[in-house]
Amino acid sequence: MVQPSREEVMENTAQLKGNWGQKFFGNNNPLVLELGCGKGEYSVNLAKISPEKNFLGIDIKGARFWRGAKIALEENLRNVGFLRTQIELVDQIFGENEVDEIWITFPDPQIKYKRTKHRLTNETFLAKYRKILKPDGVVHLKTDSEFMHGYTLGLLHGLGEIIEYAHHDVYGSEGAPAAVTNIQTYYENQYLEIGKKITYIRFRFR
Ligand SMILES: C[S@@+](CC[C@H](N)C(=O)[O-])C[C@H]1O[C@@H](n2cnc3c(N)ncnc32)[C@H](O)[C@@H]1O
């Protein structure tokens, strides 16, 4: 687990930027981020399924990912870590083309207009993701929020980005990718209990 100060991030004093593979994981395997990871279900479970990749869960609330970090330690998972920071800083924390995949799992939809700047798929965030992702890198968005799903699809269409897969009800459809239907997060389980549909988009930047 790492918790860099804002100064450490801005000045790259830990020299992690561009070197996460070697400096944090001790290898150069593909790097996958989970943004707003909460307890880190995606980071931990994907790490178990894909030992050939490195996973980093990011959240501002360290107490939440304590659970994921505990499982990683208990199960000696060497390919998963957690980073306590603001997602706004991702383009300072990771080098250009350093990241292979990004998962955004059940982000707060920030429905009010005034909250647009905090919505994790707004144009500013998308520009940051584009910068840190490899050219063929993908973004996965899983959410219960029809608003977030529609907003993101509309924005991606408008920007001409490449939508590889989109569905408004992944558990009610055949053909949703296994990683989408085989892993549930803490928030997701609560939504499923009250019968909410779970949506998913996988996209790339053109
Ligand atoms: C609704 S929760 C979802 C947590 C988890 N992905 C799940 O599905 O159970 C959203 C999470 O995103 C984190 N978060 C929201 N905005 C953030 C930001 N700008 N930087 C870092 N973390 C953020 C919150 O702390 C919270 O843990």
Side-chain angles (χ1 to χ4, degrees):
M1 183 269 189
V2 261
Q3 183 176 219
S5 67
R6 199 178 172 89
E7 290 66 40
E8 282 171 323
V9 168
M10 299 321 255
E11 286 154 33
N12 192 24
T13 42
Q15 297 184 334
L16 281 163
K17 185 177 181 179
N19 298 310
W20 279 89
Q22 278 306 331
K23 287 226 165 191
F24 189 81
F25 293 101
N27 60 53
N28 282 324
N29 291 344
L31 178 60
V32 183
L33 308 181
E34 183 187 2
L35 305 182
C37 67
K39 294 175 194 277
E41 288 87 353
Y42 261 86
S43 300
V44 168
N45 286 299
L46 290 175
K48 288 186 198 175
I49 298 166
S50 302
E52 75 290 354
K53 295 181 184 174
N54 296 324
F55 296 86
L56 205 49
I58 302 178
D59 206 293
I60 196 61
K61 295 186 179 154
R64 291 204 174 161
F65 62 58
W66 177 85
R67 166 75 43 202
K70 187 166 178 276
I71 296 170
L73 286 172
E74 283 171 357
E75 301 194 16
N76 197 28
L77 299 171
R78 317 285 301 177
N79 62 330
V80 57
F82 290 92
L83 170 62
R84 180 166 182 246
T85 195
Q86 286 183 304
I87 295 161
E88 284 78 356
L89 298 175
V90 284
D91 55 335
Q92 302 293 329
I93 293 171
F94 301 96
E96 283 185 32
N97 304 335
E98 186 169 18
V99 175
D100 292 78
E101 265 177 69
I102 293 176
W103 280 84
I104 310 173
T105 51
F106 298 87
D108 305 301
Q110 309 286 8
I111 289 172
K112 287 189 181 157
Y113 179 71
K114 274 189 181 166
R115 301 288 301 171
T116 308
K117 66 174 185 287
H118 298 290
R119 203 174 296 143
L120 291 185
T121 57
N122 70 25
E123 247 186 289
T124 309
F125 277 111
L126 290 183
K128 291 176 196 260
Y129 306 156
R130 177 203 291 273
K131 198 169 158 194
I132 62 172
L133 274 170
K134 296 209 166 79
D136 58 349
V138 293
V139 182
H140 309 260
L141 170 67
K142 198 179 180 190
T143 173
D144 64 296
S145 165
E146 282 179 23
F147 167 79
M148 187 81 177
H149 183 72
Y151 165 85
T152 308
L153 273 182
L155 194 53
L156 294 171
H157 272 302
L159 293 168
E161 309 301 3
I162 302 157
I163 297 161
E164 293 188 337
Y165 185 95
H167 207 286
H168 66 284
D169 178 13
V170 284
Y171 295 105
S173 77
E174 283 178 20
V180 177
T181 50
N182 288 353
I183 301 172
Q184 286 77 39
T185 75
Y186 176 76
Y187 273 79
E188 178 174 5
N189 280 323
Q190 296 187 344
Y191 299 131
L192 287 171
E193 266 177 33
I194 56 169
K196 281 191 103 176
K197 302 233 186 322
I198 304 301
T199 75
Y200 170 72
I201 307 171
R202 184 179 68 227
F203 64 93
R204 280 192 291 122
F205 295 104
R206 79 192 136 80

